[in-house]
């Protein structure tokens, strides 16, 4: 009976149905941080971000857009991301037939730059496909279940003693790698004090582009502290000076701001501008671009780790799934929800075990429930667009 045979064949290999988005919603959310986070480029006491939700055929996926209120880390802002999503990316996405989540990025490629806006939408579409297929996001990305190693990024503090105390708390909490922020005038003494108190902890410093090549002697001095790496010491859009600096210091340079695509990563490695790459999906345009950076680095034996942008639980879980890929051999900046927010937007929140591990969710998509009443409470504005 052909009907029976067809049904049996369908059970063996379900048809890979394409989809077209029918609705995109963008909310601007505001979540107070438990502790203000200070870097060389500014201070953040309240986290504002966009939650992008993409729907097709009754299934909805969610992505966190990490653009900030001000263009101080990278050029995008909440305002530019909302504009570019509304006027360009949403219409392009509605027009695309998507056989899988990798099909969205090429459909948005005509828009130059605006990686954070693209990533918010693209990551929502990955979550949508994972939920539609009933699989955890890591499976769709090509990663694995289990646990990931947690690291922590400690912001600039009022003085050196306060910083050492803050680091002591994180070491006691089990984090497997400590990152401290540095800024001109708040560098030597700070790194030396943390190193003196914790001689063996894996320690690194992130400058967020606050220095120039004229500061090479400072970084040569920091070589004495055995940092695992120094992150983004020079210009946010530079790779040439970083290559020069890397030749003058022993400590590996890790690039963050400067790597906004797989092409940037390829050129940075070609020039010797870094020996480690920080991958933030939001900074490179989404998961497909993150996988491209990951694969390129892995093929060249260059370790990668997953950066953070003080995300709510939604973006935090996306980071957890991403770093289950095999090239993520170093602990990243993904820490417990409770370090940031009194009440995260997900239930359960992201937690870190006493030995510094985070469990990878096994449920469909991001894998933890979004607490919609909390999202509603945090919503400052909301727009929705439908496929014409
Ligand atoms: O440079 O990695 C960075 C936060 C906001 C903007 C840039 C950076 C950071 C962090 C914090 O270091 C990482 C986190 O805890 O999410
Ligand atoms: Mg950084």
């Amino acid at each position: 009976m052909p009907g029976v045979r067809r049904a049996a064949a369908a059970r063996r290999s379900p048809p890979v149905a394409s989809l077209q988005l029918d609705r995109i919603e963008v909310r601007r959310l505001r979540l107070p941080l438990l502790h203000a986070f200070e870097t060389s480029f500014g201070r953040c006491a309240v986290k504002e971000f966009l939650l992008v939700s993409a729907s097709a055929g009754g299934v909805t996926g969610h992505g966190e857009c990490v653009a900030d209120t001000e263009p101080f880390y990278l050029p995008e802002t909440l305002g530019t991301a909302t504009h570019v999503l509304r006027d360009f990316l949403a219409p392009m996405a509605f027009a695309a037939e998507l056989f899988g989540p990798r099909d969205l990025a090429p459909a948005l490629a005509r828009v130059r730059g605006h990686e954070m806006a693209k990533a918010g939408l693209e990551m929502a579409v990955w979550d949508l496909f994972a939920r539609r297929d009933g699989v955890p996001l890591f499976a769709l990305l090509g990663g694995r279940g289990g646990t990931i190693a947690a690291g922590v990024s400690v912001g600039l503090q009022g003085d050196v003693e306060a910083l050492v105390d803050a680091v002591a708390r994180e070491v006691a909490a089990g984090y497997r790698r400590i990152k401290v922020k540095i800024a001109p005038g708040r560098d030597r003494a700070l790194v030396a004090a943390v190193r003196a108190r914790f001689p063996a902890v894996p320690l690194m410093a992130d400058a967020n582009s606050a220095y120039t090549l004229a500061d090479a002697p400072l970084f040569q001095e920091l070589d004495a502290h055995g940092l695992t790496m120094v992150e983004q010491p020079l210009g946010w859009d530079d790779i040439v000076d970083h290559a020069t600096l890397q030749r003058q210091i022993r400590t590996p340079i890790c690039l963050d701001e400067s790597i906004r695509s797989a092409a940037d990563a390829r050129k940075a490695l070609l020039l010797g501008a870094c020996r480690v790459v920080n991958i933030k999906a939001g900074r490179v345009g989404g998961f497909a671009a993150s996988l491209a950076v990951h694969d390129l680095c892995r093929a060249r034996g260059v370790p990668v780790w997953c950066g953070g942008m003080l995300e709510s639980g939604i973006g935090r879980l996306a980071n957890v799934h991403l770093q289950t890929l095999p090239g993520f051999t170093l602990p990243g900046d993904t820490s417990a929800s409770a370090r940031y927010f009194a009440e995260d937007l997900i239930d359960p929140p992201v937690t870190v075990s006493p030995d510094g591990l985070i469990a990878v969710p096994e449920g469909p998509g991001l894998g933890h429930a979004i607490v919609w009443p909390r999202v509603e409470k945090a919503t400052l504005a909301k727009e929705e667009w439908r496929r014409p």
Side-chain angles (χ1 to χ4, degrees):
M1 281 214 284
V4 172
R5 254 199 322 273
R6 250 199 319 277
R11 268 198 305 278
R12 278 197 303 274
S13 54
V16 182
S18 70
L19 60 79
Q20 219 175 340
L21 300 183
D22 41 49
R23 181 173 178 275
I24 297 172
E25 179 188 278
V26 172
R27 290 171 184 255
R28 181 173 173 144
L29 303 188
R30 179 181 195 280
L31 278 185
L33 287 167
L34 287 173
H35 310 282
F37 188 76
E38 189 178 344
T39 66
S40 65
F41 64 81
R43 187 182 157 84
C44 179
V46 177
K47 174 70 185 170
E48 279 192 35
F49 61 98
L50 303 179
L51 175 59
V52 183
S53 302
S55 306
V59 185
T60 300
H62 307 281
E64 181 163 337
C65 171
V66 298
D68 223 327
T69 45
E70 299 111 349
F72 298 163
Y73 164 72
L74 281 173
E76 291 181 82
T77 67
L78 292 164
T80 69
T82 305
H83 155 58
V84 170
L85 279 161
R86 181 200 308 116
D87 295 334
F88 302 103
L89 301 177
M92 288 171 168
F94 284 135
E97 183 181 10
L98 306 174
F99 290 89
R102 284 176 175 76
D103 292 338
L104 184 63
L108 308 179
R110 192 175 174 198
V111 172
R112 293 180 177 170
H114 299 283
E115 291 82 7
M116 292 175 177
K118 288 175 179 171
L121 178 57
E122 200 243 20
M123 293 162 81
V125 166
W126 278 84
D127 184 40
L128 164 62
F129 270 96
R131 288 175 197 255
R132 186 201 68 174
D133 297 345
V135 299
L137 188 53
F138 71 75
L140 208 55
L141 290 165
R144 43 131 193 106
T147 57
I148 57 155
V152 67
S153 174
V154 180
L156 290 161
Q157 308 289 318
D159 54 41
V160 171
E161 291 76 66
L163 176 73
V164 173
D165 288 348
V167 169
R169 275 194 296 278
E170 307 302 0
V171 170
Y175 287 102
R176 295 190 171 203
R177 172 281 255 155
I178 303 291
K179 164 167 137 182
V180 294
K181 293 289 189 177
I182 56 171
R186 302 162 85 180
D187 35 43
R188 288 178 182 79
L190 181 159
V191 171
V194 174
R195 192 36 112 202
R197 171 82 185 272
F198 300 100
V201 77
L203 178 66
M204 59 174 290
D206 186 359
N208 287 110
S209 300
Y211 297 88
T212 71
L213 265 186
D215 298 303
L218 163 72
F219 293 99
Q220 287 165 340
E221 266 182 62
L222 292 183
D223 273 343
H225 298 297
L227 301 180
T228 55
M229 68 195 88
V230 57
E231 185 178 347
Q232 195 71 34
L234 309 180
W236 68 275
D237 57 350
D238 169 77
I239 54 172
V240 175
D241 284 355
H242 278 111
T244 303
L245 180 63
Q246 183 67 91
R247 286 193 292 275
Q248 299 174 359
I249 63 175
R250 282 198 311 277
T251 306
I253 291 177
C254 169
L255 291 180
D256 174 355
E257 284 90 327
S258 296
I259 306 295
R260 295 181 302 282
S261 65
D264 287 345
R266 180 177 60 76
K267 292 168 196 173
L269 297 180
L270 186 72
L271 290 182
C274 64
R275 296 182 190 149
V276 185
V277 173
N278 164 331
I279 297 181
K280 293 177 183 171
R283 197 194 64 231
V284 297
F287 279 138
S290 299
L291 297 177
V293 176
H294 165 274
D295 294 351
L296 178 115
C297 291
R298 189 155 185 251
R300 287 163 174 70
V302 172
V304 302
W305 54 274
C306 183
M309 291 291 287
L310 313 176
E311 287 95 339
S312 83
I314 295 164
R316 192 165 299 279
L317 286 175
N319 291 341
V320 170
H321 287 277
L322 176 63
Q323 60 201 291
T324 67
L325 277 112
F328 287 85
T329 53
L330 297 165
D333 280 348
T334 308
S335 324
S337 295
R339 284 192 70 250
Y340 304 85
F341 308 108
E343 231 181 23
D344 203 343
L345 301 179
I346 52 165
D347 185 34
V350 172
T351 56
V352 173
S353 70
D355 57 342
L357 298 173
I358 294 174
V360 180
E362 294 286 340
L366 290 167
H368 291 191
I370 296 174
V371 186
W372 288 101
R374 293 183 196 160
V375 173
E376 281 297 343
K377 211 176 96 188
T379 299
L380 296 174
K382 182 168 113 174
E383 294 187 44
E384 68 168 277
W385 313 302
R386 288 176 190 274
R387 175 154 49 92

